Amino acid sequence: MAFEKQKAELSPAQKAERSISKQFRRKLWSPFVSAIKEYQLIQPNDKIAVCISGGKDSMLLAKMMQMLKRYSDFPFELIYLVMDPGYNAANRKRIEENAARLEIPLTIFETDIFAVADTMEHSPCYICARMRRGHLYNKAKELGCNKIALGHHFSDVIETTVMSMFYASQMQAMLPKLHSQNFPGMTLIRPLYKIHEDDIIAWMRANELQFIQCACRFTERNAVSENEIFESKRKEVKEIIRRLKRDNPGIEKSIFHSIHSVRIETFPGYKADGKMHSFLEKFDADSESFDEK
């Protein structure tokens, strides 16, 4: 009886945390901690801007980073950073209400990115994405951060890898962390790297949470946008992977493991540091021989 009373008195934030550490421990908390350790995403005394877009991925990221800080053996700082690029009132309110419900203290700053991108005749979605990333880095650096954390997850990694092969004619993956080229001293980290999107959705539904989707003015007004074309390709890849899983349930793990064990000597060409290379560069000089595959 006392247990039931204690359970009933849990706040929405406590329930969300409890579900992460109990019900979804194997699917959310364990892979989250595993990614941070394996890829060395957080070091002592880091100051990390956890970037919140208002969607399910970034909100879960913020809550788990908050929990990690509480349980961590070493000190690091967190700022829960929200950039308002020109959200409508309803979306801005939804972000603030969800953060309050999950007890995440937001630092919000405003920009006019949606308005600027909306005036662009060509590639407004690409320009918007570039501007958003630049503003986030800028604000994080201004606040004394040395890292920004984004909510890209396992499914993003797999889909990006397949999409690059199918639609960009290249093999390109998504790294769990990388140095910023334009903001020296800043590092981008992806702590959800090992977490499946389906498990994030399951956690969201279990906690009866509703998050914003795409909040862009351009896609609100236009029937077919650049972003929608991109998302249609992503949906197509999701469906391909879903069909492949019916015959091979481990297909996603295979794709994920393949980007961790690339045999570069078997590729006729590759690009490194912005320069194209051919297997012929080493072919004649190589004394080793490889079995034909």
Side-chain angles (χ1 to χ4, degrees), residues 257-268:
H257 291 154
S258 73
I259 66 174
H260 288 73
S261 54
V262 174
R263 291 189 60 190
I264 199 69
E265 72 273 9
T266 67
F267 282 72

Side-chain angles (χ1 to χ4, degrees), residues 131-147:
M131 290 176 66
R132 290 175 77 153
R133 185 70 61 85
H135 277 283
L136 284 169
Y137 271 118
N138 234 344
K139 189 64 177 181
K141 194 163 187 177
E142 177 187 312
L143 294 170
C145 298
N146 65 310
K147 290 179 179 176

Side-chain angles (χ1 to χ4, degrees), residues 229-261:
I229 293 170
F230 174 80
E231 286 304 321
S232 71
K233 295 301 183 186
R234 186 172 288 278
K235 287 178 183 177
E236 185 177 325
V237 167
K238 281 179 184 289
E239 182 55 34
I240 291 170
I241 294 172
R242 191 175 292 114
R243 290 201 303 267
L244 289 171
K245 282 176 68 177
R246 294 171 192 163
D247 296 323
N248 180 4
I251 190 71
E252 290 175 306
K253 286 185 179 178
S254 292
I255 297 171
F256 187 78
H257 291 154
S258 73
I259 66 174
H260 288 73
S261 54

Side-chain angles (χ1 to χ4, degrees), residues 67-253:
M67 293 171 65
L68 183 69
K69 184 178 187 301
R70 192 182 308 148
Y71 305 139
S72 177
D73 295 330
F74 57 82
F76 62 91
E77 293 183 58
L78 297 174
I79 294 176
Y80 305 96
L81 192 60
V82 175
M83 181 195 64
D84 183 343
Y87 291 131
N88 62 38
N91 283 326
R92 170 75 175 250
K93 184 180 180 183
R94 174 64 61 85
I95 292 171
E96 293 173 336
E97 287 177 345
N98 281 331
R101 182 175 181 180
L102 293 173
E103 297 177 12
I104 297 169
L106 300 180
T107 297
I108 302 177
F109 71 103
E110 299 178 354
T111 70
D112 60 352
I113 290 175
F114 281 176
V116 172
D118 201 19
T119 65
M120 300 296 173
E121 184 178 351
H122 302 292
S123 304
C125 296
Y126 171 77
I127 292 167
C128 179
R130 287 290 299 270
M131 290 176 66
R132 290 175 77 153
R133 185 70 61 85
H135 277 283
L136 284 169
Y137 271 118
N138 234 344
K139 189 64 177 181
K141 194 163 187 177
E142 177 187 312
L143 294 170
C145 298
N146 65 310
K147 290 179 179 176
I148 68 170
L150 299 184
H152 297 127
H153 47 65
F154 177 95
S155 305
D156 289 323
V157 177
I158 300 307
E159 291 158 16
T160 297
T161 302
V162 175
M163 286 176 70
S164 71
M165 292 175 63
F166 285 10
Y167 305 115
S169 301
Q170 61 184 359
M171 297 196 68
Q172 179 175 314
M174 179 184 285
L175 287 170
K177 66 177 179 181
L178 62 155
H179 295 297
S180 170
Q181 299 297 313
N182 299 318
F183 295 85
M186 292 289 291
T187 301
L188 181 153
I189 62 173
R190 296 181 168 115
L192 303 187
Y193 201 78
K194 292 187 173 185
I195 294 177
H196 292 249
E197 184 178 27
D198 286 346
D199 296 325
I200 298 175
I201 293 171
W203 170 80
M204 176 185 74
R205 290 174 176 167
N207 287 279
E208 299 179 334
L209 295 166
Q210 293 183 345
F211 301 108
I212 68 171
Q213 303 296 321
C214 177
C216 177
R217 291 181 190 172
F218 187 81
T219 55
E220 284 176 353
R221 264 202 331 273
N222 293 273
V224 179
S225 73
E226 181 182 332
N227 187 60
E228 286 177 312
I229 293 170
F230 174 80
E231 286 304 321
S232 71
K233 295 301 183 186
R234 186 172 288 278
K235 287 178 183 177
E236 185 177 325
V237 167
K238 281 179 184 289
E239 182 55 34
I240 291 170
I241 294 172
R242 191 175 292 114
R243 290 201 303 267
L244 289 171
K245 282 176 68 177
R246 294 171 192 163
D247 296 323
N248 180 4
I251 190 71
E252 290 175 306
K253 286 185 179 178

